[in-house]
Amino acid sequence: MKIKLSIILLVLSTSVSMAQNSAKAKTLLDEVYNKVKSYDNIFVDFKYSLNNEEANINTETRGDVTMQGDKYLFNYLGSKQIYDGKKVYTVVPENEEVTIEEKLDDENTITPSKMLTFYKQGHNYDWDILQNIQGRKIQFVKLTPIDTNSEIKSILLGIDVETKHIYKLIETGKNGTKTTITVNSFKIDQPLSKTLFTFDENKYKNDGYYIIRN
């Protein structure tokens, strides 16, 4: 009887500890979310790496994104993508092509405008390790998709304890692919041009670009 009681107490204490850690993780993520939403605009310069040892894939590149509300300007791999609140414009100078399409409403798609707030829904949260990175305390929170059919196994979100800004995202797929995004620069409330999120179709037509409408 004493053994059974000890097991029950151990299970209960473990469950309470897990619940407390989950609540602590959610509280931190709520602070990050509220901080992000309080800014008029955000500029993020980041490093992106993709690794899959089994497929012998190991790539690394950089990019940047400017966000204001749902609108964004995204520069990545030599291409530029603009979302003006209604349509998405993808400019590929290498091919001299522009693709114009309606906004994607797929809730599972992480667009640049969601990259700092995607964690708000659809995940379970766990408190993870605390690391000291170049003098900065980075607290990691582990996110596990609630949807068991998700191709994502888990996401580690590293948060700067002092600023409450996201510093690193490590996504591990069920196929063994690991995607890492590390923030090099995070700027807020910058003076922005009124036409930053405006697409000038005539400019690209005059430059000989082929316009594709989806």
Side-chain angles (χ1 to χ4, degrees), residues 44-66:
V44 178
D45 177 89
F46 60 88
K47 181 176 72 175
Y48 174 93
S49 65
L50 182 70
N51 178 267
N52 186 312
E53 292 183 4
E54 187 175 333
N56 196 28
I57 297 173
N58 191 8
T59 62
E60 188 174 295
T61 187
R62 297 181 73 164
D64 65 73
V65 59
T66 302

Side-chain angles (χ1 to χ4, degrees), residues 16-184:
V16 169
S17 177
M18 289 175 63
Q20 288 175 339
N21 283 339
S22 178
K24 189 162 58 169
K26 185 179 184 306
T27 297
L28 178 59
L29 291 175
D30 284 343
E31 288 182 42
V32 175
Y33 180 83
N34 292 331
K35 196 86 177 278
V36 167
K37 285 297 185 180
S38 71
Y39 300 135
D40 177 67
N41 62 71
I42 297 171
F43 170 82
V44 178
D45 177 89
F46 60 88
K47 181 176 72 175
Y48 174 93
S49 65
L50 182 70
N51 178 267
N52 186 312
E53 292 183 4
E54 187 175 333
N56 196 28
I57 297 173
N58 191 8
T59 62
E60 188 174 295
T61 187
R62 297 181 73 164
D64 65 73
V65 59
T66 302
M67 297 170 281
Q68 186 173 48
D70 287 335
K71 299 178 182 180
Y72 62 78
L73 170 62
F74 182 41
N75 295 297
Y76 180 67
L77 291 175
S79 299
K80 175 169 68 174
Q81 190 174 83
I82 302 170
Y83 177 54
D84 62 5
K86 295 180 180 179
K87 294 184 178 182
V88 178
Y89 307 87
T90 304
V91 182
V92 185
E94 185 179 358
N95 300 333
E96 293 190 336
E97 287 183 352
V98 176
T99 302
I100 304 174
E101 53 194 333
E102 299 295 326
K103 177 189 176 186
L104 295 174
D105 290 323
D106 185 357
E107 292 184 358
N108 296 319
T109 302
I110 299 179
T111 62
S113 54
K114 291 181 184 177
M115 69 182 294
L116 297 178
T117 59
F118 75 92
Y119 52 81
K120 188 66 175 173
Q121 296 178 330
H123 300 88
N124 292 316
Y125 311 121
D126 287 303
W127 198 254
D128 211 271
I129 63 172
L130 175 68
Q131 287 188 340
N132 189 313
I133 301 177
Q134 296 179 343
R136 299 167 63 184
K137 291 183 178 179
I138 306 297
Q139 175 64 55
F140 282 87
V141 172
K142 186 176 182 180
L143 283 66
T144 308
I146 294 173
D147 181 4
T148 55
N149 294 319
S150 173
E151 295 180 0
I152 299 171
K153 181 180 179 181
S154 66
I155 297 173
L156 278 172
L157 208 56
I159 298 160
D160 188 309
V161 173
E162 183 178 350
T163 64
K164 300 298 189 295
H165 292 164
I166 295 174
Y167 167 71
K168 181 173 285 190
L169 180 152
I170 305 171
E171 177 186 291
T172 302
K174 290 180 179 177
N175 63 354
T177 299
K178 181 176 288 186
T179 304
T180 304
I181 297 175
T182 305
V183 174
N184 297 318

